[in-house]
Amino acid sequence: MRPQFISKKVGSIKFRILSPKMIKSMAAAKIVTPELYDREGYPVDGGLMDTRLGVIDPGLVCKTDGLRLKDTLGHFGYIELARPVIHIKFVKQVYDFLKCTCNSCGRILIPQKDIKKFSEILTTIGEEQSMQAQHRMVREVVTKYKGKGKCPHCAAKQGKIKLEKPYTFYEEDHKLSPIELRAWLEKIQDDDLQLFGMDSVAIRPEWMVLTVLQIPPVTMRPSITLESGERSEDDLTHKLGDVVRINQRLFENINAGAPEIIIEDLWDLLQYHVTTYFDNSIAQLPPARHRGGQVLKTLTKRIKSKEGRIRHNLAGKRTDFSARTVISPDPLIGLNEVGVPEKMAKHLTIPERITEWNKEYLLEFVKRGPKVYPGANYIIRPDGKRKAIADFTMDEITEELTEGYIVERHLLDGDIALFNRQPSLHRMSMMAHKVRVLPGKTFRLNPSVCHPYNADFDGDEMNLHVPQTEEARSEAQVLMLVQTQLISPRDGLSVVGSIHDAITGNYLLTKELILSYPESVDLLYSCGVEDLSRLPKKEKLDGKEVFSALLPKDFTFYGKDKSGNQVKIINGKLTSGLMDKANLGEESGLLLRNLYSQYGPEFTAELLGKISKLGIAVLLRRGFSIGIADLDLMPQTAKLVAESIENSLQKAFNIIEQHAAGKLQALPGRTVEETLELRMLEVLNKARNKSGEVAMKQIKENAALVMARSGARGNILNIAQMSAITGQQALRGRRIDHGFTNRTLSYFKVHDISPAARGFIKNSFKSGLNPAEFFFGAMTGRDALMDTALRTPKSGYLYRRLSNAMQDLKVEYDHTVRDASGRIVQFQYGEDGLDVSKTKAGSIDVKEIVQAVIGEKQ
Amino acid sequence: MSIKKHNLVPKHTLLTDKQKEKLLADLHVTIKELPKIRLSDSAIQPLEAKSNDIIKISRESRSAGNSVYYRIVIE
Ligand SMILES: [Mg+2]
Ligand SMILES: [Zn+2]
């Protein structure tokens, strides 16, 4: 039966303090003895485990509601305290009251005629800010009048109130006992209470000094029975036991008329135990411990700590049927797939209901059991009872299995799972994949989906969730499968794309490779192309023709490649341009986007997989490697580079000389020193660019260059730094500064402003840096590292604030953007009403639409 | 100086009661759903608007050229 829910709106919440009267009327029992169980192990009446407070033993019945274990929620009890004690959580408030009210008449220390003036201000502060702020204001106002040291109402002399932490109050040198405190607080008038932002019905200040202590139900502090049969009580019960014991002794001593010193000592002890019962981590108090020395976990810790109710149970969410491990790449699995280790597949299960059609099939899983893949771990009976499949239950289970039973079988190839990498900033951070059970211990994913997850393989871990119902699975498959997420809602371009070798391979293939027909067939077949009808039957094939065999027959595309050449694909034939990062990479060209809009998600995902495999297969056959020799310069080039560096250094020294001679002309708005620095930086940066250029002219056919040109990895600057010159190191846009010691390193003379002394590295990474140069390199390296380490959490928090503020905005059917309560935020989504993921990089090509509609070709 | 002349201040105009009714009918919205503008907002001072009037704001939008926005006057 469907539960009947009633929905209501919470109008307001009010916090109150429990009054002694309330505590007593809530209580099901008064606790009078520290004993827990009698000789038979039965809970003692009037003890802390009293059965009126609920039961935690099977077989016992709660005396208050007559329910058994798990049905009864438990009931509160109370202890009558022999002497009042301060509630540690209200010490601050009590302190405020003592400071701001009269010690004899209890009125607030503000003259009657001025009270009205402040009451309004105080209430608004309380409403708009907080009660703390209101109290702060009351204190401020009272200090203004307190100079006289007398009560404005009854003229009684007021002493200075001191708080000796954690809970001892003094008026001048007289110690205020909790009895005195309570008497004082009782005198405070209800009207004055309003000024403190308190309503006398909800809060009376004297309730902050406890005369009775509420005892939580036993269900809140269950004991556990150890293997030895011994009972081990909850920390709260321990603590309450201490309170009850001391309380009893205090009662006895008072009744016996014991000397005041003994009573005072016991009273202090009672205060200590009640305090640590509420909070066992008060700075000035030694925490209460178990006999073993372990600190007791009392009320505050139950709520506040990391393992507490809030952070652990309310804010922290954990789920079954999920897994986490390191990820690694597998270019051979599909874009939509995820590789799951067999070991995991045996723990992650999918519930399948037995019907007349799948009975035989599911029985096989059950027979294989939990240890043999693919088996099953549990069966669920129609009454909802679940049973583990094990060797000794096997016969019984296979016997009783019929239609209507559910079998929790191991994960199989093709099952749907959600795959996620934190931080989940995107909707593409959590996508559905089809499972591929693989050997090994890591999750495998196609390198092309690294980009949407922002994943790499330097130790990244990812999470996997297995949906458990048909609805959840089909929803995940239809809405979240990787192929449905190809187009980014940010700019309408593809968020997936080939990376690294896949790009290099296609670049080389479309640029320069000539293959024989058998070679081409072999290449295509190896990346899963079975229809070779689109491959021209020629002796020698151009790489472009081989690539074109992947494309659909009617696909036409005009674009640009990375070096700016026209890319022309006419009727599925690549006639000019290269396939590099600008076309195959993520969030770059329109090629993938157009394929998607013309041929749909499934085709595009498939094609992208084939293109990536093709690139890798090309490199596999052609060979592609990089070595130190790739950075060699020809002797004449090396000479040119050296000359160019020498030239620039000479220019730099000339500037220094000019400056020394006082002949350097200051740039407008700059001092001479600033001008010097600017000119130096300019000359030295030129040195790197020039020698880099010279070197790059000579380096023509080279693996590093191919990678840079194709956009696979690295850039021209990296190559120049490795082979020609590393160049000027800069911190905050300036050369390395010499600081207070007037030199960057003790290796240099003071006030040395020559290039080498200020972070200019004239060596290349290949020729090797000298110690000073290496140090400068480390300086900028450290700076970059610190910068990223500090920036990431900052921008993360900025993004979090934005996404939290906007999370419930949504586009309604009338194209307006509205918040959760239906208020309009935008009258047209994005002011133009466009769905960016359906545009070409943010705009609509009207011409193309017209042509598509009237069927004209350009 | 009038802030209306500043190039970053979009054009604010007051809708007549008739226009207001038509707008609410066209958009199928109630006054409660509209974004708000304070009566004390500097941009509408010269308009002499009252509470519950609707202000039409037309501004240059980077994505859509000219875009129109409506706000209900409060307080
Ligand atoms: Mg990483
Ligand atoms: Zn007084």
Side-chain angles (χ1 to χ4, degrees), chain A residues 614-641:
Chain A
L614 179 67
I616 293 161
V618 166
L619 289 192
L620 204 64
R621 274 140 237 259
R622 177 192 175 272
F624 189 76
S625 67
I626 183 169
I628 199 84
D630 280 292
L631 307 171
D632 282 342
L633 296 179
M634 281 182 272
Q636 64 265 40
T637 319
K639 213 172 132 210
L640 281 174
V641 168

PDB file of all heavy atoms in Angstrom, chain A residues 614-641:
ATOM      1  N   LEU A 614      42.237   4.329 -35.735  1.00  0.00           N
ATOM      2  CA  LEU A 614      42.989   4.471 -36.984  1.00  0.00           C
ATOM      3  C   LEU A 614      44.300   5.208 -36.725  1.00  0.00           C
ATOM      4  O   LEU A 614      45.366   4.777 -37.167  1.00  0.00           O
ATOM      5  CB  LEU A 614      42.139   5.219 -38.014  1.00  0.00           C
ATOM      6  CG  LEU A 614      42.791   5.463 -39.379  1.00  0.00           C
ATOM      7  CD1 LEU A 614      43.008   4.158 -40.124  1.00  0.00           C
ATOM      8  CD2 LEU A 614      41.964   6.424 -40.222  1.00  0.00           C
ATOM      9  N   GLY A 615      44.218   6.313 -36.004  1.00  0.00           N
ATOM     10  CA  GLY A 615      45.414   7.103 -35.718  1.00  0.00           C
ATOM     11  C   GLY A 615      46.462   6.272 -35.011  1.00  0.00           C
ATOM     12  O   GLY A 615      47.651   6.291 -35.364  1.00  0.00           O
ATOM     13  N   ILE A 616      46.006   5.520 -34.010  1.00  0.00           N
ATOM     14  CA  ILE A 616      46.945   4.722 -33.231  1.00  0.00           C
ATOM     15  C   ILE A 616      47.527   3.608 -34.107  1.00  0.00           C
ATOM     16  O   ILE A 616      48.730   3.325 -34.060  1.00  0.00           O
ATOM     17  CB  ILE A 616      46.254   4.162 -31.974  1.00  0.00           C
ATOM     18  CG1 ILE A 616      45.911   5.333 -31.034  1.00  0.00           C
ATOM     19  CG2 ILE A 616      47.144   3.165 -31.258  1.00  0.00           C
ATOM     20  CD1 ILE A 616      44.866   5.032 -30.013  1.00  0.00           C
ATOM     21  N   ALA A 617      46.659   2.998 -34.945  1.00  0.00           N
ATOM     22  CA  ALA A 617      47.117   1.922 -35.833  1.00  0.00           C
ATOM     23  C   ALA A 617      48.155   2.443 -36.817  1.00  0.00           C
ATOM     24  O   ALA A 617      49.128   1.754 -37.144  1.00  0.00           O
ATOM     25  CB  ALA A 617      45.927   1.319 -36.568  1.00  0.00           C
ATOM     26  N   VAL A 618      47.966   3.678 -37.287  1.00  0.00           N
ATOM     27  CA  VAL A 618      48.932   4.267 -38.212  1.00  0.00           C
ATOM     28  C   VAL A 618      50.299   4.364 -37.544  1.00  0.00           C
ATOM     29  O   VAL A 618      51.314   3.950 -38.104  1.00  0.00           O
ATOM     30  CB  VAL A 618      48.469   5.663 -38.685  1.00  0.00           C
ATOM     31  CG1 VAL A 618      49.600   6.411 -39.359  1.00  0.00           C
ATOM     32  CG2 VAL A 618      47.278   5.544 -39.604  1.00  0.00           C
ATOM     33  N   LEU A 619      50.304   4.886 -36.325  1.00  0.00           N
ATOM     34  CA  LEU A 619      51.582   5.032 -35.619  1.00  0.00           C
ATOM     35  C   LEU A 619      52.219   3.672 -35.354  1.00  0.00           C
ATOM     36  O   LEU A 619      53.437   3.516 -35.426  1.00  0.00           O
ATOM     37  CB  LEU A 619      51.385   5.769 -34.291  1.00  0.00           C
ATOM     38  CG  LEU A 619      51.062   7.244 -34.373  1.00  0.00           C
ATOM     39  CD1 LEU A 619      51.199   7.884 -33.005  1.00  0.00           C
ATOM     40  CD2 LEU A 619      51.962   7.967 -35.363  1.00  0.00           C
ATOM     41  N   LEU A 620      51.358   2.708 -35.073  1.00  0.00           N
ATOM     42  CA  LEU A 620      51.842   1.363 -34.778  1.00  0.00           C
ATOM     43  C   LEU A 620      52.609   0.803 -35.975  1.00  0.00           C
ATOM     44  O   LEU A 620      53.652   0.180 -35.852  1.00  0.00           O
ATOM     45  CB  LEU A 620      50.646   0.469 -34.462  1.00  0.00           C
ATOM     46  CG  LEU A 620      50.896  -0.769 -33.619  1.00  0.00           C
ATOM     47  CD1 LEU A 620      51.366  -0.368 -32.247  1.00  0.00           C
ATOM     48  CD2 LEU A 620      49.604  -1.570 -33.532  1.00  0.00           C
ATOM     49  N   ARG A 621      52.055   1.038 -37.175  1.00  0.00           N
ATOM     50  CA  ARG A 621      52.670   0.492 -38.383  1.00  0.00           C
ATOM     51  C   ARG A 621      53.843   1.336 -38.865  1.00  0.00           C
ATOM     52  O   ARG A 621      54.870   0.833 -39.273  1.00  0.00           O
ATOM     53  CB  ARG A 621      51.623   0.397 -39.503  1.00  0.00           C
ATOM     54  CG  ARG A 621      50.855  -0.908 -39.418  1.00  0.00           C
ATOM     55  CD  ARG A 621      49.399  -0.690 -39.718  1.00  0.00           C
ATOM     56  NE  ARG A 621      48.594  -1.166 -38.592  1.00  0.00           N
ATOM     57  CZ  ARG A 621      47.958  -2.326 -38.584  1.00  0.00           C
ATOM     58  NH1 ARG A 621      47.984  -3.093 -39.647  1.00  0.00           N
ATOM     59  NH2 ARG A 621      47.295  -2.707 -37.534  1.00  0.00           N
ATOM     60  N   ARG A 622      53.666   2.652 -38.818  1.00  0.00           N
ATOM     61  CA  ARG A 622      54.693   3.552 -39.339  1.00  0.00           C
ATOM     62  C   ARG A 622      55.869   3.633 -38.377  1.00  0.00           C
ATOM     63  O   ARG A 622      57.019   3.719 -38.789  1.00  0.00           O
ATOM     64  CB  ARG A 622      54.098   4.943 -39.543  1.00  0.00           C
ATOM     65  CG  ARG A 622      55.096   5.990 -40.008  1.00  0.00           C
ATOM     66  CD  ARG A 622      54.475   7.370 -39.889  1.00  0.00           C
ATOM     67  NE  ARG A 622      55.419   8.425 -40.211  1.00  0.00           N
ATOM     68  CZ  ARG A 622      56.234   8.983 -39.328  1.00  0.00           C
ATOM     69  NH1 ARG A 622      56.261   8.552 -38.085  1.00  0.00           N
ATOM     70  NH2 ARG A 622      57.054   9.970 -39.699  1.00  0.00           N
ATOM     71  N   GLY A 623      55.575   3.577 -37.079  1.00  0.00           N
ATOM     72  CA  GLY A 623      56.605   3.780 -36.074  1.00  0.00           C
ATOM     73  C   GLY A 623      56.686   5.247 -35.724  1.00  0.00           C
ATOM     74  O   GLY A 623      56.637   6.110 -36.606  1.00  0.00           O
ATOM     75  N   PHE A 624      56.731   5.521 -34.440  1.00  0.00           N
ATOM     76  CA  PHE A 624      56.801   6.921 -34.033  1.00  0.00           C
ATOM     77  C   PHE A 624      57.491   6.976 -32.684  1.00  0.00           C
ATOM     78  O   PHE A 624      57.014   6.416 -31.708  1.00  0.00           O
ATOM     79  CB  PHE A 624      55.386   7.503 -33.921  1.00  0.00           C
ATOM     80  CG  PHE A 624      55.368   8.989 -33.713  1.00  0.00           C
ATOM     81  CD1 PHE A 624      55.621   9.850 -34.778  1.00  0.00           C
ATOM     82  CD2 PHE A 624      55.121   9.526 -32.470  1.00  0.00           C
ATOM     83  CE1 PHE A 624      55.611  11.222 -34.583  1.00  0.00           C
ATOM     84  CE2 PHE A 624      55.110  10.902 -32.272  1.00  0.00           C
ATOM     85  CZ  PHE A 624      55.353  11.744 -33.341  1.00  0.00           C
ATOM     86  N   SER A 625      58.656   7.616 -32.667  1.00  0.00           N
ATOM     87  CA  SER A 625      59.347   7.696 -31.385  1.00  0.00           C
ATOM     88  C   SER A 625      60.143   8.976 -31.317  1.00  0.00           C
ATOM     89  O   SER A 625      60.387   9.630 -32.320  1.00  0.00           O
ATOM     90  CB  SER A 625      60.260   6.490 -31.186  1.00  0.00           C
ATOM     91  OG  SER A 625      61.312   6.549 -32.126  1.00  0.00           O
ATOM     92  N   ILE A 626      60.529   9.332 -30.126  1.00  0.00           N
ATOM     93  CA  ILE A 626      61.292  10.569 -29.940  1.00  0.00           C
ATOM     94  C   ILE A 626      62.509  10.240 -29.098  1.00  0.00           C
ATOM     95  O   ILE A 626      62.439   9.385 -28.213  1.00  0.00           O
ATOM     96  CB  ILE A 626      60.418  11.655 -29.271  1.00  0.00           C
ATOM     97  CG1 ILE A 626      61.188  12.956 -29.150  1.00  0.00           C
ATOM     98  CG2 ILE A 626      59.894  11.216 -27.926  1.00  0.00           C
ATOM     99  CD1 ILE A 626      60.322  14.126 -28.762  1.00  0.00           C
ATOM    100  N   GLY A 627      63.620  10.883 -29.434  1.00  0.00           N
ATOM    101  CA  GLY A 627      64.836  10.640 -28.673  1.00  0.00           C
ATOM    102  C   GLY A 627      65.600  11.928 -28.531  1.00  0.00           C
ATOM    103  O   GLY A 627      65.174  12.976 -29.039  1.00  0.00           O
ATOM    104  N   ILE A 628      66.722  11.859 -27.870  1.00  0.00           N
ATOM    105  CA  ILE A 628      67.508  13.066 -27.623  1.00  0.00           C
ATOM    106  C   ILE A 628      67.979  13.634 -28.955  1.00  0.00           C
ATOM    107  O   ILE A 628      68.158  14.846 -29.111  1.00  0.00           O
ATOM    108  CB  ILE A 628      68.674  12.753 -26.652  1.00  0.00           C
ATOM    109  CG1 ILE A 628      69.207  14.050 -26.026  1.00  0.00           C
ATOM    110  CG2 ILE A 628      69.802  12.021 -27.319  1.00  0.00           C
ATOM    111  CD1 ILE A 628      68.439  14.491 -24.832  1.00  0.00           C
ATOM    112  N   ALA A 629      68.167  12.749 -29.942  1.00  0.00           N
ATOM    113  CA  ALA A 629      68.664  13.189 -31.249  1.00  0.00           C
ATOM    114  C   ALA A 629      67.665  14.114 -31.939  1.00  0.00           C
ATOM    115  O   ALA A 629      68.044  14.910 -32.796  1.00  0.00           O
ATOM    116  CB  ALA A 629      68.957  11.990 -32.132  1.00  0.00           C
ATOM    117  N   ASP A 630      66.397  13.999 -31.568  1.00  0.00           N
ATOM    118  CA  ASP A 630      65.396  14.874 -32.178  1.00  0.00           C
ATOM    119  C   ASP A 630      65.643  16.333 -31.827  1.00  0.00           C
ATOM    120  O   ASP A 630      65.099  17.230 -32.449  1.00  0.00           O
ATOM    121  CB  ASP A 630      63.993  14.473 -31.706  1.00  0.00           C
ATOM    122  CG  ASP A 630      63.490  13.276 -32.466  1.00  0.00           C
ATOM    123  OD1 ASP A 630      63.229  13.417 -33.666  1.00  0.00           O
ATOM    124  OD2 ASP A 630      63.392  12.190 -31.864  1.00  0.00           O
ATOM    125  N   LEU A 631      66.471  16.555 -30.799  1.00  0.00           N
ATOM    126  CA  LEU A 631      66.726  17.920 -30.373  1.00  0.00           C
ATOM    127  C   LEU A 631      68.056  18.444 -30.892  1.00  0.00           C
ATOM    128  O   LEU A 631      68.453  19.563 -30.583  1.00  0.00           O
ATOM    129  CB  LEU A 631      66.693  17.994 -28.843  1.00  0.00           C
ATOM    130  CG  LEU A 631      65.427  17.426 -28.216  1.00  0.00           C
ATOM    131  CD1 LEU A 631      65.567  17.326 -26.726  1.00  0.00           C
ATOM    132  CD2 LEU A 631      64.228  18.266 -28.607  1.00  0.00           C
ATOM    133  N   ASP A 632      68.770  17.596 -31.637  1.00  0.00           N
ATOM    134  CA  ASP A 632      70.074  18.020 -32.169  1.00  0.00           C
ATOM    135  C   ASP A 632      69.894  19.158 -33.154  1.00  0.00           C
ATOM    136  O   ASP A 632      68.963  19.176 -33.947  1.00  0.00           O
ATOM    137  CB  ASP A 632      70.748  16.850 -32.884  1.00  0.00           C
ATOM    138  CG  ASP A 632      71.375  15.890 -31.897  1.00  0.00           C
ATOM    139  OD1 ASP A 632      71.578  16.315 -30.737  1.00  0.00           O
ATOM    140  OD2 ASP A 632      71.635  14.738 -32.281  1.00  0.00           O
ATOM    141  N   LEU A 633      70.860  20.084 -33.076  1.00  0.00           N
ATOM    142  CA  LEU A 633      70.895  21.144 -34.079  1.00  0.00           C
ATOM    143  C   LEU A 633      72.065  20.855 -35.016  1.00  0.00           C
ATOM    144  O   LEU A 633      73.083  20.315 -34.596  1.00  0.00           O
ATOM    145  CB  LEU A 633      71.105  22.504 -33.417  1.00  0.00           C
ATOM    146  CG  LEU A 633      69.999  22.991 -32.481  1.00  0.00           C
ATOM    147  CD1 LEU A 633      70.387  24.335 -31.910  1.00  0.00           C
ATOM    148  CD2 LEU A 633      68.681  23.083 -33.217  1.00  0.00           C
ATOM    149  N   MET A 634      71.907  21.234 -36.282  1.00  0.00           N
ATOM    150  CA  MET A 634      73.030  21.091 -37.205  1.00  0.00           C
ATOM    151  C   MET A 634      74.107  22.081 -36.790  1.00  0.00           C
ATOM    152  O   MET A 634      73.786  23.133 -36.236  1.00  0.00           O
ATOM    153  CB  MET A 634      72.555  21.382 -38.625  1.00  0.00           C
ATOM    154  CG  MET A 634      71.820  20.198 -39.232  1.00  0.00           C
ATOM    155  SD  MET A 634      71.336  20.566 -40.898  1.00  0.00           S
ATOM    156  CE  MET A 634      69.778  21.316 -40.630  1.00  0.00           C
ATOM    157  N   PRO A 635      75.399  21.776 -37.055  1.00  0.00           N
ATOM    158  CA  PRO A 635      76.475  22.664 -36.589  1.00  0.00           C
ATOM    159  C   PRO A 635      76.241  24.118 -36.991  1.00  0.00           C
ATOM    160  O   PRO A 635      76.390  25.017 -36.159  1.00  0.00           O
ATOM    161  CB  PRO A 635      77.719  22.109 -37.276  1.00  0.00           C
ATOM    162  CG  PRO A 635      77.405  20.680 -37.547  1.00  0.00           C
ATOM    163  CD  PRO A 635      75.926  20.587 -37.747  1.00  0.00           C
ATOM    164  N   GLN A 636      75.815  24.336 -38.241  1.00  0.00           N
ATOM    165  CA  GLN A 636      75.650  25.740 -38.654  1.00  0.00           C
ATOM    166  C   GLN A 636      74.484  26.400 -37.925  1.00  0.00           C
ATOM    167  O   GLN A 636      74.520  27.582 -37.612  1.00  0.00           O
ATOM    168  CB  GLN A 636      75.490  25.869 -40.190  1.00  0.00           C
ATOM    169  CG  GLN A 636      74.263  25.225 -40.762  1.00  0.00           C
ATOM    170  CD  GLN A 636      74.556  23.817 -41.272  1.00  0.00           C
ATOM    171  OE1 GLN A 636      75.298  23.052 -40.633  1.00  0.00           O
ATOM    172  NE2 GLN A 636      74.000  23.459 -42.423  1.00  0.00           N
ATOM    173  N   THR A 637      73.453  25.609 -37.607  1.00  0.00           N
ATOM    174  CA  THR A 637      72.316  26.165 -36.854  1.00  0.00           C
ATOM    175  C   THR A 637      72.748  26.509 -35.442  1.00  0.00           C
ATOM    176  O   THR A 637      72.431  27.587 -34.932  1.00  0.00           O
ATOM    177  CB  THR A 637      71.156  25.153 -36.781  1.00  0.00           C
ATOM    178  OG1 THR A 637      71.029  24.529 -38.037  1.00  0.00           O
ATOM    179  CG2 THR A 637      69.877  25.846 -36.404  1.00  0.00           C
ATOM    180  N   ALA A 638      73.479  25.583 -34.845  1.00  0.00           N
ATOM    181  CA  ALA A 638      73.956  25.820 -33.479  1.00  0.00           C
ATOM    182  C   ALA A 638      74.750  27.107 -33.445  1.00  0.00           C
ATOM    183  O   ALA A 638      74.618  27.917 -32.507  1.00  0.00           O
ATOM    184  CB  ALA A 638      74.806  24.645 -33.011  1.00  0.00           C
ATOM    185  N   LYS A 639      75.544  27.292 -34.491  1.00  0.00           N
ATOM    186  CA  LYS A 639      76.359  28.498 -34.556  1.00  0.00           C
ATOM    187  C   LYS A 639      75.458  29.738 -34.648  1.00  0.00           C
ATOM    188  O   LYS A 639      75.672  30.727 -33.955  1.00  0.00           O
ATOM    189  CB  LYS A 639      77.284  28.420 -35.792  1.00  0.00           C
ATOM    190  CG  LYS A 639      78.626  29.117 -35.566  1.00  0.00           C
ATOM    191  CD  LYS A 639      79.577  28.859 -36.718  1.00  0.00           C
ATOM    192  CE  LYS A 639      80.198  30.178 -37.152  1.00  0.00           C
ATOM    193  NZ  LYS A 639      80.536  30.180 -38.575  1.00  0.00           N
ATOM    194  N   LEU A 640      74.453  29.634 -35.512  1.00  0.00           N
ATOM    195  CA  LEU A 640      73.520  30.762 -35.670  1.00  0.00           C
ATOM    196  C   LEU A 640      72.816  31.092 -34.363  1.00  0.00           C
ATOM    197  O   LEU A 640      72.669  32.257 -33.997  1.00  0.00           O
ATOM    198  CB  LEU A 640      72.475  30.428 -36.742  1.00  0.00           C
ATOM    199  CG  LEU A 640      72.917  30.580 -38.190  1.00  0.00           C
ATOM    200  CD1 LEU A 640      71.838  30.075 -39.135  1.00  0.00           C
ATOM    201  CD2 LEU A 640      73.251  32.035 -38.499  1.00  0.00           C
ATOM    202  N   VAL A 641      72.404  30.023 -33.672  1.00  0.00           N
ATOM    203  CA  VAL A 641      71.716  30.225 -32.391  1.00  0.00           C
ATOM    204  C   VAL A 641      72.637  30.926 -31.406  1.00  0.00           C
ATOM    205  O   VAL A 641      72.257  31.910 -30.771  1.00  0.00           O
ATOM    206  CB  VAL A 641      71.225  28.869 -31.813  1.00  0.00           C
ATOM    207  CG1 VAL A 641      70.786  29.026 -30.366  1.00  0.00           C
ATOM    208  CG2 VAL A 641      70.097  28.311 -32.655  1.00  0.00           C
TER     209      VAL A 641
END
